Amino acid sequence: MAIPVTILCGGLGAGKTTLLSNLLESESERESRDIAVLVNDVGEVNVDANLVEARTDLAGGDELVALENGCICCSLGGELSRSVIQLWKEYDFDALVVEASGVGEPEPIAQQFVRGPAGGPYDLDTVVTVVDARQFTETFVDDRAGTPQRQGPDETGSRPLADLWLEQIEFCDLLVVNKCDLVSDEERERAVAVLETLQPRAEILTTEYSALEPDQVLETGLFDPAAARESAGWKQAIEAAAGEGDGHDDHDHGHDHTESTTDGHDHTESTTDDHDHDHDEHTHDHDHAHPPERYGIETETYHRVRPFHPERFTALLEDLPDGLVRAKGLCWVAGRERQALTMSFAGSETTLEVTGRWVASFSEERQETYRQGQPDLQWDEEWGDRESRLAIIGRNLSMDALIARLDDCLLTDEEMDDDWSTYETENPTPTAMGQTVTIAVSSGHSNRTD
């Protein structure tokens, strides 16, 4: 029988290690199952592993493997698989807990247990993301003035740390909102409402000092491989709008949003029951009494089949409106007729990354081959699959005003007829596959809506 796996993710200092220690120290838990633990940290000294070892009696049956000098989601993926397989061969245990680095993305880790060699002896059961209630509130709910601080020696500064936090939130089955003693009841409820919008599928628990019962985290059966990659709020908004037709343009066409192994244009990101308890935490399901609408949270999809002017568009990204919580999706920027750009706003910065290529930029023969393999790919006779399709999540945000400003960034009719060659050179957006440009909101800007 496959061993269930729980992956613990979350930002630096959110309380992952405390939660893990609480699980291991629970007397009732230690009597019911033996847990194997894999702990990862960034740097030459594995601090988290030392903390867990110091707080627990590993002689009691819990085995610990420490991975160092990097994050298990990328450079140590192979070591992760080797370590957990070796653990399985050498020890008998009932469950595995993987505590990821605070700068690790959960989806590549999950893939190790879904499609990788570790998928044989193990069964991915739950992906848990621990959220610091105060930090989340200050970054996404109340105030995004100032750039979130980056930590870890391998951070290059090319990507907002807040964007990573959202990756952890948007790919999970269980959200643990920790440190609720540091926020008011109203702030906690507003944070939960935003989290429900960002990740509609996840169960949400609120707590203090990472105090949860083991059965709330281990062997929950929450992981759904079919839904996991498409469950983020922004993805659901785009898919819904593509299916219903957004009415913004006479040429409405969609794209394939699944992983592609061809050279065609690919828009995917890198790869992927309430529980009763005795603590003071609150369980939030999708029918609880405080829906996101109560806090002015709404989601809108922006779709146009006309390119953005590169300078006007980047100027807008430097001056985004108050109340914007999240914006992500595909962008067509003039001068980048080959490159499909993914735009992602989080916290106080926006990243623009080349994540694929427009099918329309290939030869006619390759276009036909790709379109035959993607029969649902909608196609504009003049522009092919080029488009901008963004999901926008805001709190007390004037969607109409933001959409009007986005429309102002589109090429005018006169500019559409002009020579576009200047847009290729006078263009701050990236050009090479995987290249990223980060644009910060101007200093002093705030999304405080109180």
Side-chain angles (χ1 to χ4, degrees):
M1 183 175 179
I3 297 171
V5 178
T6 296
I7 299 175
L8 289 181
C9 294
L12 296 160
K16 300 185 301 297
T17 302
T18 302
L19 175 57
L20 176 57
S21 297
N22 289 343
L23 295 177
L24 299 180
E25 290 175 350
S26 170
E27 188 64 28
S28 61
E29 175 58 27
R30 294 177 66 84
E31 292 178 356
S32 62
R33 58 169 77 90
D34 291 327
I35 306 172
V37 180
L38 185 147
V39 178
N40 173 237
D41 199 5
V42 174
E44 297 182 358
V45 179
N46 198 319
V47 178
D48 281 355
N50 293 338
L51 286 173
V52 173
E53 193 167 10
R55 296 180 191 176
T56 58
D57 177 15
L58 297 181
D62 300 309
E63 300 296 337
L64 184 144
V65 175
L67 298 183
E68 302 177 357
N69 301 319
C71 61
I72 54 181
C73 66
C74 48
S75 61
L76 293 182
E79 183 180 340
L80 167 64
S81 293
R82 288 191 297 271
S83 296
V84 297
I85 290 174
Q86 191 67 24
L87 199 62
W88 171 73
K89 290 179 178 179
E90 295 183 2
Y91 299 96
D92 291 327
F93 50 93
D94 303 309
L96 172 66
V97 177
V98 177
E99 183 195 348
S101 161
V103 293
E105 295 178 0
E107 185 172 355
I109 303 172
Q111 291 292 352
Q112 296 286 327
F113 295 98
V114 175
R115 298 179 181 175
Y122 293 98
D123 179 31
L124 182 55
D125 180 80
T126 315
V127 179
V128 181
T129 294
V130 183
V131 176
D132 182 325
R134 167 50 57 196
Q135 188 178 59
F136 181 82
T137 297
E138 292 177 347
T139 304
F140 297 107
V141 181
D142 287 335
D143 194 343
R144 68 164 182 259
T147 303
Q149 181 181 1
R150 293 181 176 84
Q151 301 185 36
D154 63 343
E155 291 294 287
T156 64
S158 63
R159 183 185 186 193
L161 189 56
D163 199 27
L164 173 61
W165 295 343
L166 290 183
E167 296 288 350
Q168 296 170 342
I169 290 167
E170 291 169 344
F171 188 90
C172 75
D173 313 295
L174 176 63
L175 280 163
V176 177
V177 186
N178 192 35
K179 303 185 179 181
C180 287
D181 54 313
L182 302 181
V183 296
S184 67
D185 290 345
E186 182 182 359
E187 287 175 322
R188 183 195 68 222
E189 292 298 333
R190 285 189 307 180
V192 168
V194 173
L195 288 167
E196 286 179 335
T197 307
L198 293 171
Q199 174 47 291
R201 188 179 65 88
E203 299 283 348
I204 300 180
L205 301 175
T206 61
T207 189
E208 302 171 9
Y209 305 103
S210 298
L212 296 176
E213 290 295 330
D215 287 343
Q216 295 175 273
V217 179
L218 304 177
E219 298 185 75
T220 66
L222 291 174
F223 182 72
D224 181 353
R229 291 187 71 247
E230 302 304 322
S231 62
W234 70 269
K235 288 185 178 180
Q236 291 190 7
I238 285 180
E239 293 293 335
E244 298 172 3
D246 48 41
H248 287 316
D249 201 292
D250 292 336
H251 305 286
D252 184 27
H253 61 281
H255 293 272
D256 172 45
H257 293 267
T258 58
E259 184 174 353
S260 172
T261 56
T262 71
D263 291 332
H265 128 234
D266 172 19
H267 304 174
T268 62
E269 298 190 50
S270 302
T271 43
T272 75
D273 301 327
D274 300 332
H275 303 278
D276 295 330
H277 47 85
D278 296 326
H279 293 289
D280 290 331
E281 68 271 10
H282 304 275
T283 303
H284 298 265
D285 60 33
H286 300 301
D287 298 319
H288 74 84
H290 304 291
E293 291 81 3
R294 172 175 174 178
Y295 300 99
I297 298 169
E298 61 178 318
T299 302
E300 182 65 72
T301 300
Y302 178 85
H303 179 221
R304 299 290 187 271
V305 187
R306 178 173 291 220
F308 288 118
H309 187 287
E311 294 181 355
R312 291 200 297 270
F313 183 51
T314 53
L316 170 62
L317 298 181
E318 293 175 351
D319 187 29
L320 289 169
D322 291 354
L324 184 61
V325 174
R326 179 69 156 144
K328 189 163 185 175
L330 197 71
C331 291
W332 174 20
V333 177
R336 299 292 181 262
E337 277 57 64
R338 292 166 57 93
Q339 299 90 342
L341 302 180
T342 293
M343 171 261 199
S344 177
F345 167 80
S348 63
E349 295 178 323
T350 301
T351 56
L352 295 173
E353 180 181 4
V354 180
T355 53
R357 194 174 153 184
W358 301 115
V359 176
S361 68
F362 290 121
S363 66
E364 290 187 7
E365 181 180 355
R366 292 186 67 186
Q367 288 181 34
E368 185 63 27
T369 299
Y370 193 96
R371 292 179 64 187
Q372 288 178 356
Q374 303 280 346
D376 296 332
L377 179 65
Q378 298 181 35
W379 194 263
D380 180 82
E381 288 302 319
E382 183 174 7
W383 303 112
D385 60 326
R386 299 182 182 95
E387 67 172 358
S388 292
R389 191 183 290 270
L390 305 174
I392 303 168
I393 299 175
R395 175 174 175 265
N396 296 336
L397 171 68
S398 173
M399 288 291 184
D400 290 342
L402 177 55
I403 288 173
R405 292 184 64 194
L406 285 167
D407 283 344
D408 289 341
C409 296
L410 299 173
L411 293 191
T412 65
D413 290 343
E414 182 179 354
E415 289 169 331
M416 291 288 288
D417 294 334
D418 285 345
D419 180 8
W420 288 18
S421 60
T422 57
Y423 300 138
E424 296 180 9
T425 55
E426 299 176 7
N427 194 326
T429 64
T431 58
M433 184 67 183
Q435 183 181 359
T436 299
V437 170
T438 301
I439 301 171
V441 176
S442 57
S443 60
H445 186 79
S446 167
N447 76 340
R448 184 175 295 279
T449 55
D450 298 338

